[in-house]
């Protein structure tokens, strides 16, 4: 079975400060990892993914994430938060067998204060 | 930019009624999914569809649910006899072939069962 844990329900950060949204995963096999963002009353938008190769992946809107195999983590980061980054963030995992569906974490609400 | 479209955006129905939610995936995508989200909480996998058949389904996807791709463009989710607990936002998603592609989500259909 595959699972994702997002240990923080909410993360608060001041505008201009770096942000981190945590994610750990559990799969049997090599993981494919994803981050999605959801704004109020909207669908999920893809931010970035890790498939293989460089552990640091860069995505949309200045976000990046670091894959750490030994810690089974895939934390989302941004060097300087914007108020407009305030949203719900979901980490997701799939094993690399192609046909398995994505499993999502419970989500972390990011609140960036001006 | 191509997108996944869903209709209706909001449907209110009485308990026990049948509901059909419709989706038009991105045209060159091969994998199709339905997920649901209750009150902005966790995004839960329902079913995946590939090559005109269900490739995976969750324990939520019981006999009350069915999916169909009737005409090569639409992808529908039918709930045969709705229950109060079926009230949720239902998201359709699609992706290209291969194992590394990310999911593209529609804006969702909000189902309210009274």
């Amino acid at each position: 079975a595959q699972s994702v844990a997002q240990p923080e329900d909410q993360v608060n950060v001041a505008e201009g400060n770096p942000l981190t949204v945590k994610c750990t995963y559990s799969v049997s096999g090599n993981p494919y990892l994803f981050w999605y963002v959801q704004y109020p009353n909207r669908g999920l938008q893809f931010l970035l993914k890790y498939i293989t190769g460089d552990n640091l992946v860069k995505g949309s809107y200045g976000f990046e994430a670091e894959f750490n195999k030994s810690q089974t983590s895939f934390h989302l980061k941004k060097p300087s938060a914007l108020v407009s980054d305030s949203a719900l963030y979901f980490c997701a995992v799939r094993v690399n067998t192609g046909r398995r569906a994505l499993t999502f974490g419970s989500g972390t609400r990011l609140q960036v204060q001006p | 930019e191509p997108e996944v479209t869903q209709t209706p955006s909001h449907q209110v129905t009485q308990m026990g009624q049948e509901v059909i939610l419709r989706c038009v995936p991105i045209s060159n995508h091969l994998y199709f999914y339905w997920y649901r989200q209750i009150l902005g909480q966790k995004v839960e996998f329902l079913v995946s569809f590939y090559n005109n058949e269900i490739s995976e389904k969750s324990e939520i996807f019981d006999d009350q649910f069915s999916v169909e791709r009737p005409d090569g463009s639409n992808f529908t989710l039918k709930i045969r006899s709705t229950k109060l607990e079926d009230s949720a936002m239902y998201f359709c998603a699609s992706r290209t072939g291969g194992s590394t592609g990310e999911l593209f989500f529609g804006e969702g259909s909000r189902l309210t069962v009274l």
Side-chain angles (χ1 to χ4, degrees):
Chain A
Q2 53 191 42
S3 65
V4 177
Q6 293 183 242
E8 303 153 316
D9 289 337
Q10 181 155 327
V11 169
N12 297 306
V13 64
E15 187 174 30
N17 283 0
L19 69 88
T20 298
V21 182
K22 295 179 181 176
C23 170
T24 59
Y25 66 90
S26 174
V27 297
S28 299
N30 293 321
Y32 292 160
L33 293 153
F34 303 79
W35 276 101
Y36 284 82
V37 60
Q38 186 181 33
Y39 297 99
N41 300 312
R42 303 296 301 276
L44 284 82
Q45 295 179 36
F46 169 74
L47 278 179
L48 51 80
K49 65 182 177 183
Y50 170 83
I51 302 300
T52 187
D54 195 350
N55 289 342
L56 184 66
V57 294
K58 295 185 183 297
S60 307
Y61 312 120
F63 284 93
E64 58 189 29
E66 186 164 14
F67 171 64
N68 187 316
K69 188 172 184 178
S70 63
Q71 296 184 3
T72 63
S73 67
F74 190 56
H75 301 331
L76 181 70
K77 301 183 181 189
K78 187 174 182 181
S80 178
L82 300 172
V83 172
S84 56
D85 293 330
S86 299
L88 192 54
Y89 289 81
F90 290 95
C91 182
V93 69
R94 187 173 79 226
V95 293
N96 64 341
T97 55
R99 294 180 67 180
R100 290 300 308 276
L102 274 183
T103 297
F104 283 84
S106 55
T108 298
R109 188 165 301 281
L110 175 66
Q111 195 69 43
V112 181
Q113 283 111 15
Chain B
E1 186 174 319
E3 59 182 20
V4 176
T5 57
Q6 290 186 241
T7 55
S9 57
H10 189 194
Q11 181 154 358
V12 181
T13 190
Q14 295 292 323
M15 190 169 54
Q17 295 297 303
E18 176 183 285
V19 162
I20 297 176
L21 305 178
R22 292 182 168 81
C23 169
V24 179
I26 296 172
S27 61
N28 64 336
H29 285 188
L30 300 178
Y31 291 84
F32 314 109
Y33 303 83
W34 284 101
Y35 283 80
R36 78 175 185 187
Q37 185 183 33
I38 297 175
L39 284 178
Q41 300 301 316
K42 189 170 185 174
V43 178
E44 300 174 299
F45 168 69
L46 293 178
V47 65
S48 60
F49 194 85
Y50 170 74
N51 200 25
N52 286 318
E53 61 182 20
I54 291 174
S55 53
E56 188 182 5
K57 61 183 181 179
S58 72
E59 61 277 6
I60 302 169
F61 194 86
D62 61 22
D63 291 344
Q64 294 297 314
F65 292 89
S66 62
V67 289
E68 197 175 37
R69 189 162 158 79
D71 56 11
S73 60
N74 291 285
F75 179 51
T76 63
L77 174 69
K78 181 192 288 186
I79 308 174
R80 223 176 313 278
S81 177
T82 50
K83 304 188 281 282
L84 295 176
E85 55 265 36
D86 293 328
S87 295
M89 181 73 90
Y90 288 80
F91 291 106
C92 175
S94 67
R95 68 176 177 92
T96 59
S99 60
T100 63
E102 62 272 20
L103 268 62
F104 290 80
F105 283 82
E107 292 291 295
S109 293
R110 182 173 297 282
L111 176 64
T112 302
V113 183
L114 302 176

